[in-house]
Amino acid sequence: MTAWEEEALASHVRLITGPVVAFFDVNGTLVYRDPIHGPEDYPGEYVCEALRTFAERGGIPVLSTGRSRVGITRLLDGVPFRGYVSMDGAYVVLDEAVIVD
């Protein structure tokens, strides 16, 4: 164990040893809702870049939304999500495998 790991354990910091799975909502989280022009349907470049960086570093980004598959097609095509939870959990996909239908 390294000195850093020993210090982290001594200070009660949890060390993450596996991949981190993060679930992201669409409306008001990834996608900006302009008070004048209404909601956007795609996140800004800085959000896309943050998600790409998270994925490149081993994270597993998953989209979580009440929208149907049709309502998230553009997001799934342009952002590196490994999966999605759609229709409030009624349809779930991870790595192109349907988990819940």
Side-chain angles (χ1 to χ4, degrees):
M1 185 175 302
T2 67
W4 180 85
E5 290 170 322
E6 288 177 9
E7 182 180 327
L9 287 174
S11 66
H12 306 288
V13 173
R14 183 173 165 256
L15 299 176
I16 298 173
T17 58
V20 173
V21 179
F23 294 83
F24 297 92
D25 180 40
V26 179
N27 297 335
T29 304
L30 294 179
V31 178
Y32 177 67
R33 181 177 292 273
D34 186 289
I36 297 171
H37 300 101
E40 297 288 330
D41 66 348
Y42 197 75
E45 183 53 36
Y46 60 94
V47 173
C48 293
E49 182 59 32
L51 288 167
R52 281 191 287 273
T53 300
F54 175 71
E56 288 168 1
R57 293 182 179 174
I60 301 173
V62 177
L63 183 63
S64 182
T65 182
R67 297 180 184 190
S68 69
R69 174 65 170 88
V70 173
I72 58 175
T73 299
R74 187 167 176 228
L75 278 168
L76 295 173
D77 289 345
V79 181
F81 289 110
R82 292 258 311 263
Y84 58 92
V85 178
S86 66
M87 298 185 302
D88 293 328
Y91 194 75
V92 180
V93 173
L94 182 62
D95 293 330
E96 299 183 18
V98 176
I99 308 298
V100 175
D101 184 1

